[in-house]
Amino acid sequence: MNIKIEGGRPVFYGEPVKVNYTDVTGGEDMTVNGQTVKRATGNRTEYTLSADEMNAIGWTIDGSVHQPHWKQLENVKDTFFRGAGYSGKISEDIQSMKSSMESLADGFFDGEVTESQLADKFQALAEKFIGICKEKQYPFPMLTGMDEAAMSFAYDCFRGAILKSAVQHNNAEGKELASKNNRGWHYYNADYYYKSESAIGAITERVKGMAEDRGFREFEIPDYKAIGRNSLYNFNSAVSGESDYIPGGLRAVEEKWILDFDAVPPEDFKWFFEEEGSSEDVFMSGDGEDLPRPKSRVWAMYKDLLASNSFDFSLGRDLPSDVKNLGDLLQFGAGLKSGIAVVNKYLRNFQAAPSGYFADKAWSESQRRAESGWDAKA
């Protein structure tokens, strides 16, 4: 009997085949590479099935078999190094490594650590972590082949520390710009995009060198975007505040203000938005008349050029028109500097909306569906 793949499923054709079925009633110990594992035991029955009978079973393909090497490595890291996956045997070592990496990342953005020093320190910490796993025989005694997973996990941690520090430095600048009374703000400084990219580039080059020296020929940097790791992808995804997620699953409602994480900002570019409020946060008087209220404000800088604007959201702050695209609110004057057209186009990668707008819309939509009898579990 032969097999081919059609539409992601196996299709059998040709002569009948004999298959064995085990009615599992227990298990017995076996030794494999020095480790004890269980093998299912029970009565075995031999069947002869035709191609039509085989196809009627409704086979599916185990996706893990066809996953790229980096994705298989992600599964190992999820099992042994992340969250509830790692045991108390190395939990303190992981926290110590992360703490050291965060201090180094902060030092880099504070101008105290160079790219080359960052790469050297990363390698030292990664080598130390690999050694600790070996010394403590983690995750299992006599289990070999974990060095690549440990190295990749250390790279994840350092990459995350770099982006976390970039976001913290960016947001510290934004906080200084925000007024005391506000409903929310966003700040973006492209310097932190480029600094984080250079830092990530330094440790990426180093980890690839480590992989080559150790003979890890299939080693790759994970596709963080494909697995929903916004905290590890780039500065744009990290500063957006959008949570990590599992593709295909339910996602938290986020105040989406960066539209395309892959869009590269112009150098020397900044922008700031603040939804202004007041100490009383009152918009209407008792007799229903509008009270003067602060306007929301937004500005962008490109090199030494400044463009600014102020505007109101609707009184209820819940209309579709309340989602403002930065490119519609601001434009730099054409012809003032080379590259202005590119900058004006890039402004369209940002948007502003009233605080809680997207969460309110999601709640209203869920209520509407519930009232119409729509069941999310169906």
Side-chain angles (χ1 to χ4, degrees):
M1 184 176 292
N2 298 317
I3 184 173
K4 58 185 177 181
I5 305 299
E6 291 183 355
R9 292 178 177 271
V11 176
F12 297 89
Y13 63 97
E15 298 299 319
V17 65
K18 292 181 178 180
V19 297
N20 291 313
Y21 170 75
T22 300
D23 183 14
V24 179
T25 58
E28 62 181 7
D29 291 343
M30 294 182 61
T31 301
V32 180
N33 294 331
Q35 297 183 67
T36 300
V37 298
K38 288 282 187 183
R39 179 176 66 176
T41 60
N43 297 325
R44 298 183 67 192
T45 306
E46 185 177 88
Y47 295 93
T48 299
L49 297 178
S50 67
D52 288 342
E53 290 172 323
M54 290 287 286
N55 290 328
I57 294 174
W59 303 89
T60 58
I61 296 177
D62 181 0
S64 63
V65 176
H66 305 281
Q67 289 176 343
H69 179 71
W70 70 265
K71 187 63 172 67
Q72 296 177 32
L73 209 60
E74 286 298 300
N75 298 334
V76 175
K77 290 187 289 184
D78 285 339
T79 302
F80 297 115
F81 295 111
R82 292 192 182 121
Y86 64 81
S87 78
K89 188 184 291 187
I90 61 166
S91 59
E92 290 186 4
D93 301 299
I94 289 177
Q95 294 308 315
S96 176
M97 178 177 69
K98 288 183 175 180
S99 178
S100 297
M101 290 175 170
E102 289 173 359
S103 295
L104 288 165
D106 288 342
F108 173 78
F109 287 104
D110 290 336
E112 300 167 356
V113 177
T114 65
E115 286 180 26
S116 61
Q117 290 173 330
L118 204 65
D120 290 343
K121 294 292 186 180
F122 159 71
Q123 181 168 356
L125 288 168
E127 297 280 7
K128 180 181 178 181
F129 182 65
I130 293 170
I132 288 172
C133 292
K134 283 185 174 180
E135 179 185 343
K136 295 189 174 182
Q137 296 185 314
Y138 182 82
F140 305 115
M142 306 300 293
L143 181 63
T144 60
M146 294 296 291
D147 289 8
E148 185 179 9
M151 182 187 73
S152 182
F153 175 71
Y155 173 83
D156 291 344
C157 292
F158 213 157
R159 185 178 180 121
I162 289 169
L163 291 175
K164 179 181 178 181
S165 182
V167 170
Q168 289 176 337
H169 280 73
N170 178 88
N171 290 348
E173 289 183 11
K175 187 176 182 180
E176 291 295 318
L177 296 169
S179 60
K180 181 178 180 181
N181 299 300
N182 67 81
R183 288 176 172 268
W185 54 269
H186 295 307
Y187 174 72
Y188 184 93
N189 185 342
D191 285 352
Y192 293 110
Y193 174 91
Y194 286 100
K195 288 180 180 178
S196 61
E197 286 292 298
S198 67
I200 288 172
I203 68 167
T204 298
E205 182 179 357
R206 185 60 57 90
V207 77
K208 288 181 177 179
M210 292 173 64
E212 184 176 353
D213 292 343
R214 291 174 177 269
F216 301 148
R217 294 179 178 84
E218 293 185 89
F219 178 80
E220 293 180 277
I221 304 302
D223 187 344
Y224 297 111
K225 186 177 183 180
I227 56 177
R229 301 295 296 275
N230 286 328
S231 62
L232 299 180
Y233 185 51
N234 65 11
F235 175 71
N236 291 344
S237 65
V239 79
S240 74
E242 294 190 53
S243 306
D244 289 350
Y245 65 96
I246 299 175
L250 294 176
R251 295 183 60 176
V253 177
E254 312 282 1
E255 299 294 329
K256 189 173 183 65
W257 57 279
I258 298 180
L259 301 179
D260 181 5
F261 296 153
D262 291 315
V264 178
E267 294 188 59
D268 299 318
F269 170 83
K270 300 177 184 178
W271 86 277
F272 176 78
F273 155 75
E274 179 179 63
E275 185 185 358
E276 296 188 357
S278 65
S279 58
E280 296 82 13
D281 210 21
V282 174
F283 289 113
M284 296 185 69
S285 63
D287 57 7
E289 294 183 3
D290 285 342
L291 291 175
R293 62 185 186 272
K295 289 180 176 290
S296 295
R297 62 191 180 101
V298 63
W299 57 258
M301 290 190 67
Y302 174 58
K303 298 182 178 179
D304 57 349
L305 298 179
L306 173 67
S308 62
N309 196 2
S310 61
F311 60 93
D312 285 332
F313 291 119
S314 66
L315 192 61
R317 299 179 307 130
D318 59 358
L319 300 178
S321 59
D322 281 334
V323 180
K324 311 284 189 181
N325 187 278
L326 190 62
D328 294 330
L329 295 171
L330 297 175
Q331 289 283 287
F332 290 97
L336 294 177
K337 281 187 181 295
S338 62
I340 285 296
V342 174
V343 179
N344 284 339
K345 181 179 179 180
Y346 187 73
L347 289 172
R348 304 203 67 82
N349 195 38
F350 302 98
Q351 64 182 13
S355 178
Y357 174 90
F358 293 102
D360 290 343
K361 287 296 181 185
W363 182 85
S364 298
E365 176 64 15
S366 65
Q367 289 294 106
R368 184 190 67 78
R369 290 180 175 181
E371 291 170 0
S372 64
W374 186 83
D375 187 357
K377 298 180 180 179

